[in-house]
């Protein structure tokens, strides 16, 4: 029979979905049957990837989209599976990662009135008042499939929301009886449900921002994730080259601007210091940033003129948020940057002024390079993250894509890898740990030719559910290098406490309950689940050979490689 589930699968194909990342349950007999029938008849459906853990499965979908730009589907089990998505829902919402989540629902009949009626005790227990409400605050769209006659319309509408800026996850649910309903096949009408076109600057805003940048003494652009769209990077470089604008990354989520460019001024995270370039700027253009600065420690001059461009400039999911901008514009970064470059073609640009800006920022860039080089000096007897990352940088090539969940070493990763390629690095964009393992698999599935390197703290490694991650990487031939920055505990909670209570009891306590002593055998955990290769590194002299062997194992043996890198105790 052709059922609601059959039509659902067809709708996914019509939207270019390659994979269903599935954690199946008792609510999915119709979907399982439709998949089996399609395979038996040779009808095209997405490939089903078995995900023993729901958060891992959704993180795989997240990583796949980050590399391919193509949203995928996640299937989970009623409200239990929906809740188990947990932090991955947060990460996708905050990271603006589009994907479709489908969850079954407990049957709504219990006397055998319809096919799919309740026949297992768990179906009474899993019947809840508002299943969609569990995730509604994080979804761009949610709905319930109530009949198979319009299931394609619901899927099309869901993807239209997911792929329209600001992008994000969407959620559909359907009870067993509905998913078993026999329906007539419908033609592909997905082309009539396209995402909305990218928003652009108004002529007035374009002129105002352009003139401010043109006449400023020290113009500065602050961004966090403009580089999620690879097309935005060359557009940003063109504008900055034309006017000599410095670029500061705040909490970067992507490679937004080439790190070797003389106008690149580095990145700011939680460092409790005023950023000198931000303080000096007389015009600040914020493009695609959720946290352009932390006002309690670093902020622009009160006299600076501030402009803000974002597809979500109100930050509608953030109850407390404000940037004192004189123009707030809802526009897509690449589109707006292209408009600004085109606007400049009709303007008179002072070459001497542009050269002065470039020389000033180039000197700042060179100072930063020298300071970073000093931190990369070869250590004696212990490994520093700066030195390790400098050796990883020496081994990198254009095939590498990094997923970064190094937490307390976030700044070190962005500082010392010195990346220049759009799409070379991703973070989750959110704050729920455990994304990197699944994301690495998703990146590898999207780019089989790439060498994927996951950078993780030891705490975030355990959050990844490594038994599921490394089993999946083995089964679906998606090997990656996973590098664990092992400081034997949660360093970030310690840093947060000391930042608020620098001389308090915690500052003098022997234990803050953040230690992982005795250290788990991380290599053993991963290799047992995935039959990979691993090595624990404590001596700086071992780093180069270990990195080389890890890359060889992933590329030639097609197995995961785990490097457990021991740093100073947190």
């Amino acid at each position: 029979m052709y059922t609601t589930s059959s039509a659902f699968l067809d709708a996914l194909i019509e939207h270019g979905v390659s994979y269903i990342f599935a954690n199946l349950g008792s609510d999915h007999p119709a979907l399982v049957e439709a998949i089996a029938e399609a395979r038996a008849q040779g009808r095209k459906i997405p490939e089903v990837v078995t995900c023993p853990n729901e958060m891992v499965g959704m993180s795989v979908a997240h990583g796949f989209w980050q590399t391919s730009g193509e949203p995928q589907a996640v299937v989970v089990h009623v409200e239990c599976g929906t809740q188990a998505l947990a932090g991955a829902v947060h990460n996708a919402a905050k990271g603006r990662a589009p994907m479709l989540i489908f969850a079954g629902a407990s049957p709504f009949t219990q006397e055998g009135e319809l096919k799919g009626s309740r026949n297992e005790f768990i179906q009474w227990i899993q019947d809840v008042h508002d299943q969609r409400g569990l995730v509604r605050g994080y979804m761009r769209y949610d709905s319930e499939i109530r009949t198979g006659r319009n299931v394609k319309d619901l899927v099309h509408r869901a993807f239209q929301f997911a792929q329209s800026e600001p992008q994000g996850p969407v959620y559909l649910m359907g009870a067993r009886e509905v998913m078993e309903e026999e329906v007539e096949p419908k033609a592909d009408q997905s082309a009539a449900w396209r995402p909305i076109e990218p928003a652009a600057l108004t002529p007035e805003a374009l002129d105002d921002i352009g003139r401010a940048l043109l006449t400023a003494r020290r113009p500065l652009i602050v961004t966090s994730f403009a580089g999620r769209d690879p097309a935005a990077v060359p557009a940003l470089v063109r504008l900055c080259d034309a006017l000599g604008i410095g670029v500061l990354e705040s909490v970067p989520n992507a490679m937004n601007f080439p790190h070797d460019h003389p106008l690149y001024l580095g990145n700011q995270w939680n460092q409790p210091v005023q950023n000198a370039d931000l303080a000096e700027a007389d015009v600040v253009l914020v493009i695609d940033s959720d946290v352009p600065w932390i006002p309690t420690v670093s902020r622009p001059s009160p006299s600076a003129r501030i402009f803000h461009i974002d597809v979500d400039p109100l930050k509608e999911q953030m109850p407390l948020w404000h940037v004192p901008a004189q123009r707030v514009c809802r526009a897509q970064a690449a589109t707006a940057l292209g408009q600004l470059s085109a606007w400049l073609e009709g303007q008179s640009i002072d070459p001497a002024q542009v050269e002065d800006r470039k020389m000033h920022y180039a000197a700042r860039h060179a100072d930063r390079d020298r300071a970073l080089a000093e931190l990369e000096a070869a250590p004696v007897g212990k490994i520093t993250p700066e030195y390790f990352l400098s050796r990883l940088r020496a081994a990198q090539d254009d095939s590498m894509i990094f997923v970064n969940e190094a937490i307390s070493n976030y700044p070190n990763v962005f500082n010392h890898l010195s990346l220049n390629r759009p799409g070379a690095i991703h973070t989750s964009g959110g704050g729920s740990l455990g994304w990197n393992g699944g994301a690495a698999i998703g990146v590898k599935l999207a780019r089989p030719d790439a060498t994927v390197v996951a950078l993780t703290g030891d705490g975030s490694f355990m959050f990844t559910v490594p038994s599921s991650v490394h089993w999946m990487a083995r089964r679906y031939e998606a090997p990656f290098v996973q590098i664990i920055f092992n400081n034997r505990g949660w360093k970030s909670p310690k840093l947060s406490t000391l930042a608020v209570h620098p001389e308090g009891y915690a500052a003098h306590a022997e234990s803050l309950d953040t230690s992982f002593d005795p250290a788990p055998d991380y290599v053993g955990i991963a290799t047992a689940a995935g039959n990979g290769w691993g090595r624990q590194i404590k001596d700086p002299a071992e780093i180069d050979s270990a990195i080389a062997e890890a890359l060889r194992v992933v590329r030639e043996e097609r197995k995961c490689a785990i490097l457990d890198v021991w740093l100073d105790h947190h």
Side-chain angles (χ1 to χ4, degrees), residues 3 31 34 137 185 265 283 343 487 508 546:
T3 64
L31 186 60
L265 301 173
V283 171
W343 179 89
N487 56 22
H508 303 285

Side-chain angles (χ1 to χ4, degrees), residues 159-220:
F159 274 108
Q160 187 176 40
F161 268 95
Q163 295 182 274
S164 295
E165 297 285 5
Q167 296 182 329
V170 294
Y171 184 86
L172 293 177
M173 59 176 280
R176 292 208 317 183
E177 296 94 330
V178 173
M179 300 309 292
E180 293 280 3
E181 181 186 0
E182 188 172 2
V183 298
E184 290 293 324
K186 284 188 175 182
D188 179 358
Q189 297 181 330
S190 58
W193 299 82
R194 296 187 183 279
I196 60 174
E197 292 295 318
L201 298 174
T202 64
E204 295 80 11
L206 177 61
D207 189 70
D208 199 9
I209 296 171
R211 292 193 184 283
L213 294 173
L214 188 64
T215 58
R217 180 170 180 270
R218 291 286 177 258
L220 182 71

Side-chain angles (χ1 to χ4, degrees), residues 217-284:
R217 180 170 180 270
R218 291 286 177 258
L220 182 71
I221 288 177
V222 178
T223 186
S224 300
F225 47 80
R228 285 180 185 162
D229 177 4
V233 178
L236 181 58
V237 172
R238 280 194 300 273
L239 178 64
C240 293
D241 277 340
L243 289 179
I245 304 171
V247 176
L248 173 66
E249 293 181 302
S250 178
V251 194
N253 297 158
M255 203 299 293
N256 301 298
F257 196 81
H259 290 196
D260 61 355
H261 195 292
L263 292 171
Y264 179 69
L265 301 173
N267 53 86
Q268 182 100 355
W269 295 74
N270 291 335
Q271 299 96 318
V273 295
Q274 171 66 55
N275 183 277
D277 296 301
L278 185 62
E280 188 181 57
D282 55 343
V283 171
V284 178

Side-chain angles (χ1 to χ4, degrees), residues 37-59:
E37 181 184 30
R39 288 171 177 165
Q41 295 182 354
R43 193 172 79 250
K44 184 179 180 181
I45 59 171
E47 181 178 347
V48 179
V49 173
T50 301
C51 303
N53 177 271
E54 291 90 345
M55 181 170 172
V56 174
M58 190 166 175
S59 298

Side-chain angles (χ1 to χ4, degrees), residues 4-64:
T4 304
S5 296
S6 308
F8 174 77
L9 293 171
D10 284 348
L12 295 182
I13 287 293
E14 290 165 9
H15 277 282
V17 172
S18 303
Y19 291 97
I20 295 171
F21 301 107
N23 189 290
L24 299 169
S26 59
D27 47 332
H28 296 130
L31 186 60
V32 172
E33 177 66 13
I35 290 169
E37 181 184 30
R39 288 171 177 165
Q41 295 182 354
R43 193 172 79 250
K44 184 179 180 181
I45 59 171
E47 181 178 347
V48 179
V49 173
T50 301
C51 303
N53 177 271
E54 291 90 345
M55 181 170 172
V56 174
M58 190 166 175
S59 298
V60 177
H62 193 154
F64 190 100

Side-chain angles (χ1 to χ4, degrees), residues 454-488:
L455 305 162
T456 177
D458 49 339
S460 50
F461 172 81
M462 289 199 281
F463 278 121
T464 64
V465 194
S467 56
S468 287
V469 164
H470 286 276
W471 175 83
M472 288 176 63
R474 179 185 183 185
R475 173 165 175 172
Y476 296 103
E477 298 181 352
F480 61 95
V481 178
Q482 191 165 37
I483 294 169
I484 304 167
F485 292 102
N486 187 347
N487 56 22
R488 273 82 73 210

Side-chain angles (χ1 to χ4, degrees), residues 120-174:
E120 300 179 33
F121 79 89
I122 201 68
Q123 289 153 359
W124 280 266
I125 297 170
Q126 292 170 340
D127 192 4
V128 297
H129 290 294
D130 187 9
Q131 181 173 312
R132 289 155 56 192
L134 296 171
V135 293
R136 184 172 295 124
Y138 298 86
M139 295 294 122
R140 294 283 289 120
Y141 169 84
D142 70 274
S143 190
E144 180 177 358
I145 302 169
R146 295 188 172 96
T147 174
R149 297 171 188 270
N150 68 350
V151 64
K152 280 194 172 186
D153 290 348
L154 291 182
V155 172
H156 296 333
R157 179 164 168 77
F159 274 108
Q160 187 176 40
F161 268 95
Q163 295 182 274
S164 295
E165 297 285 5
Q167 296 182 329
V170 294
Y171 184 86
L172 293 177
M173 59 176 280

